Every structure is written in structure tokens, then in C-alpha cells.
Amino acid sequence: MRPRLLATVAVAVLALTGCTASSAPEASDDPTVEGDSSWPRTIEHDAGETDIPEQPTRIISLSPSITGSLLAIGAPLDATAATTVSPLTDDKGFFTQWAAEADAADVEVLYTDLTLDLDTVDLFEPDLIVGSVNGRDATLEAYDQLSEIAPTVLLDYGTVSWQELTTELGEVTGLEDEAAETISEYDSWIAGQAEGLNLPEQPVTAAVYMGADGVWAFGEDSPLSQLLNALGFTYEPAAEEFSTEQAAANGVDILSAENAASGLGEAQTLFLVAMTGGDPVADFAADPLLANQPAVVSDSLYSLGTESFRLDYYSAKNTVQIIVDTFTE
């Protein structure tokens, strides 16, 4: 284990508190196990190809949207970038769904407001850097500079499910077994949760209400639609002819304010994500352009809270729990 940063450096330069990285599990000695943890290994990823000489023990994450998945598999995470403080985060900029897990693991703030700081990255002396090629936390333009500091792997978290991302991270970190166990545990748990649900009128659609900017409706293959399908809901995407564009990185179809009611016209029940906080159900129901939407007429609008926009293991479980609490007799 490397020494922690000197206290004087932490106060004067980083304003961070010390922590101890989690220990990585021992690598498997069984060469017959698929994806075994033999090192070195070469990882192909969305920014290129990276050689990792040995199993990482000092990982930093440049992407808060990836951090939760690293924590879920017990990766030895020293620090993570923090996003801008909002209803989606704690007061450090850690997403609420995994903030407690990060604190329990003594994960430090790498830098704030998603403002990449290469000097700070270097000071942490990581043996693996994990980041993103898309979203507000993308660091693709700095990939070469980051790779000079440590082996760097950049992933596209926006076009895959959290399960697929978790599997990728298992390969990158040598924690394949932990990744598989995390997914298996979730699959068994959600199947059990589905058994006791009293489903509302079908089909359903999940969306983010954006006020004058319209509605973002989650697509048929989005992680959120997959979650709802796993619980037994029949998912209905927005009508394609009313969608102005698709933001593939978020798995949503964008409907203008004028087209939102028609685009959501088949949905008998609507789940609304409170991405900006507040009460999305009240806001949606009060919009005169949406007054005739079936879910509004039948009072079948439900909030999924703030965490379901970007699903990882933790936010997926929290979202399921909201649904279970709402639809269990």
C-alpha cells in the first residue's frame, strides 16, 4: 500500500482528508475460469487499448457515473471526481445512491464540479485511472495525458446497461467474480420483488418532464425500461413520429412541449424522474399542454425520485424499492 499524501500537501494543495484504499481480492489461480485474473492484461475500451501490468490496488475514477459500479464490486477506489452539488448529490458532489458507500470506503474527492485537474490526478499516484468518453464527465480529450500518469481506461456508460458496465469494470479491475455475483444477486432480488406487485394500468412509459423544453422519454432499450420490464410492466416508448431527436447517450427520446402529449399518447401510466428535484408529478399534471394525456386524465402519474436517471447497482435498487412501496398491496 502506498503512503497517503502528506497532510501539508493535502491541506495546502488538495484540501482532502486521508484514506486507506480497499484491498483487492486475490487473483484466481484457475486458468479454466473465463476471464480469470491473470496479469498483465490488455483492455480494449472506447478510447483505445491499454496494457495493465498487474491487478490495480489504487484506482481513481474521473466519472461519478461510473464510480457507483466500481464501489458495487468492491474495487480499491482511492478517489473519485465529484459533480456539481444538486438534488442528485450530497454536499460533496457524490451521487446520493452511492455517497454512503463511498464514505464508508474512505473514498476521497479527487476534484470538484467535474473540472479535470491533472496535477491532482498525478498526486494520487494511481495504478489505474477509469473515466468516461461521454457525458459531462467525459475526459477523452485528455486521454493521452492521463495515460502518461497511469494506465487509463475510458468507457461509454451511456449506451449500455449498468450490468454491462459492471461486467466491463470487472474485467478491467480483475474482479470478474465480484461483478458476476453483484449482478446475480440483483437479478434474484428483483425477481422476488416483482412477485408481490399489483401492477397499474398498462402500458407504462418513464420520462423526465422538462417544462417548456418538453419531455425526455426513456427509450425501449434504456436501462430504466429494462428495469420496469423485469418487474413485469409492459413498456411503451414514445411514438417515433413525434420525437424530435434521440439522445442516445441517455437512452431517451426528446419530445417538444407541443408534441409531448401525442408522443406519450399510448402510455396509460407514467413514471416521472425528478432529475432536477421538486415534484415532477405536480409539474407534469399542471401543464395545460398535457391535460389530455391518458395518465393525467386517470391520475396515473408516479415519481421515481431523483436517482433513476442514471442507473447503477445502488440507484437501480433504490428505484425498485420506490416502485415496490407504491404498488405493493
Side-chain angles (χ1 to χ4, degrees), residues 22-25 59 68-77 105 173 175 178-179 182 314:
S22 304
S23 298
I59 300 173
S69 295
L70 287 166
L71 288 167
I73 62 175
L77 187 65
T173 60
L175 300 174
E178 289 78 359
T182 297
Y314 301 106

Side-chain angles (χ1 to χ4, degrees), residues 50 52 56-61 126-130 150-153 172-173:
T50 296
I52 305 177
T57 61
R58 302 186 308 277
I59 300 173
I60 62 172
S61 171
D127 56 10
L128 177 66
I129 300 169
V130 178
T152 299
V153 173
V172 172
T173 60

Side-chain angles (χ1 to χ4, degrees), residues 9-314:
V9 175
V11 173
V13 180
L14 297 177
L16 299 171
T17 58
C19 72
T20 303
S22 304
S23 298
E26 293 182 3
S28 170
D29 293 325
D30 183 358
T32 66
V33 177
E34 183 178 353
D36 77 52
S37 299
S38 58
W39 302 89
R41 62 177 54 178
T42 299
I43 300 295
E44 294 184 4
H45 54 95
D46 293 288
E49 189 175 272
T50 296
D51 295 323
I52 305 177
E54 57 186 3
Q55 186 167 21
T57 61
R58 302 186 308 277
I59 300 173
I60 62 172
S61 171
L62 310 181
S63 169
S65 293
I66 293 176
T67 297
S69 295
L70 287 166
L71 288 167
I73 62 175
L77 187 65
D78 273 14
T80 178
T83 188
T84 304
V85 174
S86 74
L88 307 179
T89 74
D90 68 3
D91 58 5
K92 298 189 299 297
F94 285 2
F95 284 133
T96 55
Q97 65 262 30
W98 50 257
E101 297 289 335
D103 291 342
D106 293 328
V107 176
E108 299 187 42
V109 175
L110 183 61
Y111 47 75
T112 61
D113 297 323
L114 300 180
T115 304
L116 177 62
D117 187 332
L118 291 169
D119 290 334
T120 300
V121 171
D122 194 19
L123 281 172
F124 270 88
E125 300 179 3
D127 56 10
L128 177 66
I129 300 169
V130 178
S132 170
V133 296
N134 64 308
R136 287 186 57 229
D137 51 7
T139 51
L140 181 59
E141 292 183 358
Y143 174 65
D144 290 340
Q145 294 164 287
L146 291 165
S147 297
E148 292 177 0
I149 297 172
T152 299
V153 173
L154 301 184
L155 302 173
D156 180 356
Y157 61 75
T159 56
V160 297
S161 68
W162 71 262
Q163 292 95 327
E164 291 170 311
L165 178 63
T166 299
T167 300
E168 284 187 272
L169 291 171
E171 181 185 1
V172 172
T173 60
L175 300 174
E176 295 93 341
D177 289 347
E178 289 78 359
E181 289 170 6
T182 297
I183 295 167
S184 177
E185 181 271 328
Y186 171 84
D187 287 343
S188 297
W189 176 80
I190 196 173
Q193 299 302 309
E195 293 178 359
L197 292 182
N198 181 24
L199 299 182
E201 191 71 22
Q202 305 293 305
V204 304
T205 302
V208 181
Y209 177 66
M210 303 297 292
D213 293 324
V215 172
W216 293 358
F218 288 85
E220 189 172 17
D221 297 324
S222 66
L224 189 49
S225 70
Q226 293 175 34
L227 180 151
L228 291 166
N229 284 331
L231 287 171
F233 292 90
T234 300
Y235 195 82
E236 181 70 28
E240 185 176 352
E241 62 267 30
F242 296 106
S243 178
T244 56
E245 60 178 304
Q246 185 175 52
N250 294 316
V252 298
D253 296 302
I254 299 175
L255 303 170
S256 68
E258 294 76 17
N259 290 332
S262 298
L264 300 172
E266 296 299 318
Q268 302 303 305
T269 298
L270 274 174
F271 291 107
L272 299 171
V273 178
M275 193 175 71
T276 57
D279 186 347
V281 169
D283 294 339
F284 191 98
D287 190 329
L289 294 176
L290 298 168
N292 294 322
Q293 202 279 330
V296 175
V297 173
S298 63
D299 194 26
S300 297
L301 301 174
Y302 301 93
S303 174
L304 289 182
T306 61
E307 297 178 358
S308 54
F309 182 75
R310 182 76 66 209
L311 292 180
D312 56 27
Y313 170 80
Y314 301 106

